[in-house]
């Protein structure tokens, strides 16, 4: 049974940092690229960051470049999203998923519950 369990969200002030984690189980983690998505209220889910199977290549949406870093630990079946210099527009529910690195927006697993990130003073 595939499971993606996101954690690490919370309430943070603008300019603050959070580190999200996604623990994966039920599939062979090392055979998939991993991706972080977010969905803000009233908006479509958008791809934020992705990382190749071995972690050697990463890619980000323009709005988070230079602020967010995706990484993975294949020994722990976990992918991370380090978020720095957070802005109110980063407020969303964040989800992870697995899929091929290309096409960039393809996902193959059922979605987890996500983790809420709220950036507000």
């Amino acid at each position: 049974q595939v499971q993606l369990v996101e954690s690490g969200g919370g309430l943070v002030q603008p300019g603050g940092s959070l580190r999200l984690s996604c623990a994966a189980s039920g599939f062979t983690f090392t055979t998939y690229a991993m991706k972080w998505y977010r969905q803000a209220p009233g908006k479509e889910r958008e791809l934020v960051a992705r990382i190749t199977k071995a972690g050697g290549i990463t890619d980000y949406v323009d709005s988070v470049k230079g602020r967010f870093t995706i990484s993975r630990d294949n020994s722990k079946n976990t992918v991370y999203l380090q978020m720095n210099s957070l802005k109110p527009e980063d407020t969303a529910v964040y989800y992870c998923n697995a899929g091929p690195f290309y096409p960039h927006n393809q996902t193959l697993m059922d979605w987890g519950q996500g983790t809420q990130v709220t950036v507000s003073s």
Side-chain angles (χ1 to χ4, degrees):
Q1 179 184 356
V2 171
Q3 274 198 311
L4 295 167
V5 181
E6 300 93 346
S7 62
L11 173 64
V12 63
Q13 292 187 341
S17 298
L18 284 173
R19 188 193 195 206
L20 307 184
S21 298
C22 168
S25 60
F27 63 97
T28 306
F29 186 73
T30 53
T31 63
Y32 295 95
M34 292 299 296
K35 306 176 183 184
W36 280 100
Y37 286 77
R38 66 185 178 188
Q39 187 167 22
K43 295 189 177 182
E44 291 189 356
R45 191 172 293 173
E46 70 165 339
L47 176 64
V48 174
R50 53 190 176 134
I51 186 167
T52 51
K53 291 179 285 187
I57 299 173
T58 59
D59 186 52
Y60 302 89
V61 68
D62 285 348
S63 59
V64 309
K65 282 181 180 176
R67 301 189 297 122
F68 290 11
T69 302
I70 187 172
S71 62
R72 64 191 295 163
D73 185 339
N74 285 346
S75 69
K76 296 182 179 179
N77 286 4
T78 301
V79 61
Y80 304 97
L81 187 66
Q82 177 67 44
M83 306 187 297
N84 299 329
S85 303
L86 283 160
K87 303 176 181 181
E89 51 263 43
D90 295 318
T91 295
V93 180
Y94 284 71
Y95 303 87
C96 67
N97 212 304
F101 197 73
Y102 295 102
H104 70 285
N105 214 17
Q106 185 177 5
T107 57
L108 297 176
M109 309 300 171
D110 290 338
W111 295 99
Q113 83 288 348
T115 186
Q116 175 71 48
V117 172
T118 303
V119 185
S120 175
S121 54

